[in-house]
Amino acid sequence: MIRVRGIYSTAVTGLLDEAGYSFADVSIDIQERFPALKKHGEVLLTIKDQDDRSGLIILGDPELLAKVVFLLRSIIPDLIVGYVPVGPYSMYVVRLVERVDGDIWLAEYMPGRFCTVKLRNSHSEGDLLLAHVTRASPEAPLLKEGAALTGRYVRLIQFERHNASEHIRDAELRLQLLTLAMSEVPQGWGVHFRSTAKNANILDVGREIKELLKKATEFLNVFKPQGIGPVMVGESLALVEIPPDTALRFDTIRERYFTTIPFHHLFKSLGIEELSHKIDFAEKNALSGRCFSREKVLEAIMEEFAKLNGSRVSIFHKKLTGQGHVWSAFAEIRSSGYVQLRRQSSSQGTYDGFKNIRREEGDQIVSYTWLFARTIIHFYYSPTGELKGIYVNLNTPVFFALQPPGLKYVDLAMDVTYSPMEGIQVTDQEEFQELVEYGILPRGLAEKYKLFAEKVAGILGEKNSEEILAEARRLQSSIFGTEVDRML
């Protein structure tokens, strides 16, 4: 029923097993750690790592997904969850707005909400057409023209080629399935064989293809687009962000089921293969207590972090709703543990968060943060060194990446700004509150961030950069008081 993969798989499998769920397509490691798992041949839900290992992607049956997310949040309340109820292979009627490039168009899929759609036929601006979601997103989904219907073993997709899941590795079986599709499916349709097809009777697979073709034909014969909006729900998607401090909770949970070194998930999130193998060896041989004390592991993390010093790094500014962006700067790690990030403005405009503070070519931007900081503080200076403004970004705890080298965090919308001209402001509070109202940001955590913003606002304007940093760090420790705050 549930397929679990990635660095969080042991902890997540243990929790779901205790809750009575059954599992499908179980990995060798998980089978060894949980020999009594209940099995179910059909994959209804997949839980896997995000690409940067900063959290989970949960994808599949809408009802089951909602139950699993509720369970995880009831155990770990500080999880940050972006929920996309109408996810991959859901069908929409969209209205074409304007051509972006070639067969790529901007389209409206809900009133006032826009997506990118790839066309397979010739259309004009203003046309209504049927399309299905290929990449779900709360803000910027990607769709393709045509219908998509999902069954237990196969997915039938208009205007696509036949293909099979990467989990079907048997070459002979893949050939048999693709031959079946070519013999049964008319031109203009493609069959994607899902992973469940590898354990199915070939006659049952062929029967389902015929049933989906009949359903698709009947649907398209009567379908007449009247207006934009969802037509049929496919899968749902949840993007679960696991901030560094919350990852320590997963360590504790994992330890209930298998030997686990301190900071296991943070180390694994770095993606360093050699280090990952050492961790696996120590845990499998029950050496974690002797070789990986909490102090030694934290020291090792700081050593890896120090490798960013003196290099140009990328800063991955993720958004809970939308695409986010990446910026780069020259990094210097101070003896106090602060990271200084220097860059120079090469264009003109207005600084984000301010109404009238102009950004000029040659302006110096000096930013400061620290490992596990819930803020990045930007100081904007003119080319002659005059302070123009201070911008305090509020975010999930900062962690680092090594491939490519950089820092990463999730932006939480609300910020605090100061300038001699405009004074002190707390900005984007409505957007922050929407994250709470939509259930993305836990209410208890949000209240702490509000207090943090209020207190930070009180220290701007009369203190220098070093004093602001020291006070912000003290405030974070006193308001959030997590384990990593106490250790650092």
Side-chain angles (χ1 to χ4, degrees):
M1 179 182 289
I2 300 176
R3 175 170 54 211
V4 187
R5 292 289 188 272
I7 65 174
Y8 296 94
S9 58
T10 300
V12 171
T13 298
L15 292 176
L16 295 179
D17 180 45
E18 288 183 3
Y21 286 99
S22 57
F23 298 83
D25 196 17
V26 178
S27 70
I28 294 174
D29 283 344
I30 292 298
Q31 182 63 57
E32 290 176 352
R33 292 167 192 171
F34 301 92
L37 279 184
K38 289 185 288 186
K39 305 290 182 54
H40 190 286
E42 183 178 1
V43 177
L44 296 180
L45 195 73
T46 295
I47 304 175
K48 60 183 182 179
D49 292 341
Q50 293 188 27
D51 289 343
D52 65 354
R53 299 182 180 86
S54 66
L56 301 172
I57 295 174
I58 307 179
L59 176 68
D61 178 77
E63 185 177 346
L64 180 58
L65 183 147
K67 291 179 179 178
V68 167
V69 169
F70 179 82
L71 172 66
L72 293 177
R73 260 200 161 163
S74 65
I75 298 169
I76 308 173
D78 283 352
L79 289 177
I80 299 172
V81 182
Y83 185 59
V84 186
V86 184
Y89 302 102
S90 298
M91 289 191 286
Y92 282 86
V93 172
V94 303
R95 178 183 290 108
L96 299 182
V97 176
E98 63 178 359
R99 187 190 304 273
V100 177
D101 182 38
D103 58 358
I104 306 298
W105 282 68
L106 178 70
E108 188 177 18
Y109 71 101
M110 293 282 282
R113 306 193 72 168
F114 299 89
C115 66
T116 302
V117 61
K118 181 179 176 63
L119 302 186
R120 307 309 292 264
N121 296 292
S122 179
H123 292 281
S124 302
E125 182 179 321
D127 283 358
L128 294 175
L129 58 93
L130 183 68
H132 62 274
V133 178
T134 58
R135 187 188 69 203
S137 166
E139 291 295 320
L142 177 64
L143 284 74
K144 282 187 179 180
E145 181 181 4
L149 290 89
T150 299
R152 181 176 182 179
Y153 306 118
V154 304
R155 184 172 286 119
L156 186 66
I157 308 172
Q158 199 173 15
F159 310 127
E160 288 294 328
R161 297 178 178 179
H162 306 312
N163 63 82
S165 166
E166 63 179 346
H167 300 289
I168 302 176
R169 299 184 177 91
D170 186 309
E172 186 175 337
L173 176 59
R174 289 176 70 92
L175 179 60
Q176 187 179 14
L177 292 172
L178 293 172
T179 301
L180 173 67
M182 288 186 284
S183 65
E184 295 287 346
V185 178
Q187 189 174 0
W189 290 94
V191 173
H192 170 74
F193 292 95
R194 307 179 71 191
S195 60
T196 48
K198 68 182 179 181
N199 298 317
N201 185 299
I202 193 71
L203 295 177
D204 291 336
V205 177
R207 191 176 299 114
E208 183 174 82
I209 290 174
K210 291 178 180 179
E211 290 172 355
L212 288 178
L213 277 170
K214 181 182 178 182
K215 183 178 179 180
T217 302
E218 292 173 349
F219 169 74
L220 291 177
N221 283 342
V222 299
F223 175 72
K224 292 181 181 179
Q226 302 294 322
I228 61 174
V231 174
M232 188 180 297
V233 174
E235 297 178 327
S236 285
L237 171 71
L239 301 175
V240 181
E241 293 291 341
I242 303 176
D245 57 321
T246 308
L248 301 186
R249 295 283 306 278
F250 277 88
D251 292 346
T252 303
I253 292 168
R254 187 182 189 275
E255 199 167 17
R256 286 157 46 181
Y257 312 111
F258 193 71
T259 304
T260 301
I261 71 162
F263 305 101
H264 169 98
H265 293 98
L266 288 182
F267 257 131
K268 288 282 188 174
S269 73
L270 293 175
I272 305 172
E273 190 171 345
E274 181 182 354
L275 182 58
S276 183
H277 289 326
K278 288 181 179 179
I279 293 170
D280 292 340
F281 177 82
E283 291 178 340
K284 286 180 180 179
N285 292 279
L287 300 174
S288 63
R290 284 174 283 166
C291 302
F292 291 93
S293 69
R294 207 163 195 78
E295 293 73 21
K296 284 184 178 179
V297 174
L298 182 59
E299 183 180 332
I301 288 177
M302 299 306 291
E303 286 177 1
E304 295 295 335
F305 180 55
K307 293 178 181 178
L308 301 181
N309 186 48
S311 62
R312 178 162 288 277
V313 300
S314 297
I315 293 84
F316 300 91
H317 181 99
K318 294 179 67 176
K319 300 280 286 185
L320 291 169
T321 55
Q323 299 301 306
H325 63 271
V326 180
W327 53 280
S328 64
F330 183 81
E332 180 184 341
I333 299 179
R334 302 293 184 87
S335 58
S336 57
Y338 295 115
V339 185
Q340 183 190 77
L341 302 163
R342 282 188 170 273
R343 52 194 164 127
Q344 181 174 296
S345 174
S346 58
S347 61
Q348 296 183 340
T350 303
Y351 281 112
D352 187 30
F354 297 94
K355 296 177 181 178
N356 300 301
I357 308 302
R358 295 288 300 169
R359 183 182 69 248
E360 304 291 346
E361 188 173 343
D363 279 1
Q364 299 296 314
I365 304 172
V366 184
S367 307
Y368 295 92
T369 189
W370 61 92
L371 197 60
F372 304 118
R374 295 178 187 266
T375 179
I376 293 186
I377 306 177
H378 307 279
F379 295 83
Y380 302 134
Y381 298 98
S382 72
T384 59
E386 179 186 0
L387 178 67
K388 287 187 168 185
I390 303 172
Y391 183 96
V392 182
N393 191 87
L394 300 186
N395 43 259
T396 60
V398 171
F399 201 56
F400 65 102
L402 293 174
Q403 299 170 348
L407 303 173
K408 57 184 180 179
Y409 56 86
V410 180
D411 178 65
L412 296 178
M414 183 168 57
D415 308 294
V416 185
T417 65
Y418 163 79
S419 75
M421 182 186 302
E422 298 180 7
I424 296 172
Q425 314 244 356
V426 179
T427 66
D428 297 322
Q429 295 182 72
E430 290 184 5
E431 185 179 346
F432 177 84
Q433 193 58 36
E434 285 179 355
L435 297 178
V436 180
E437 298 303 325
Y438 292 156
I440 297 173
L441 189 65
R443 200 169 291 274
L445 183 61
E447 290 303 316
K448 292 180 180 180
Y449 271 103
K450 286 181 182 177
L451 179 60
F452 187 46
E454 177 187 328
K455 296 295 185 182
V456 167
I459 65 175
L460 301 182
E462 297 182 358
K463 298 180 182 292
N464 61 37
S465 61
E466 291 185 1
E467 292 171 331
I468 290 172
L469 282 170
E471 187 63 13
R473 194 165 185 169
R474 186 195 67 79
L475 287 170
Q476 173 175 314
S477 181
S478 65
I479 292 171
F480 294 92
T482 65
E483 183 177 357
V484 290
D485 289 316
R486 291 190 292 271
M487 288 186 298
L488 296 173

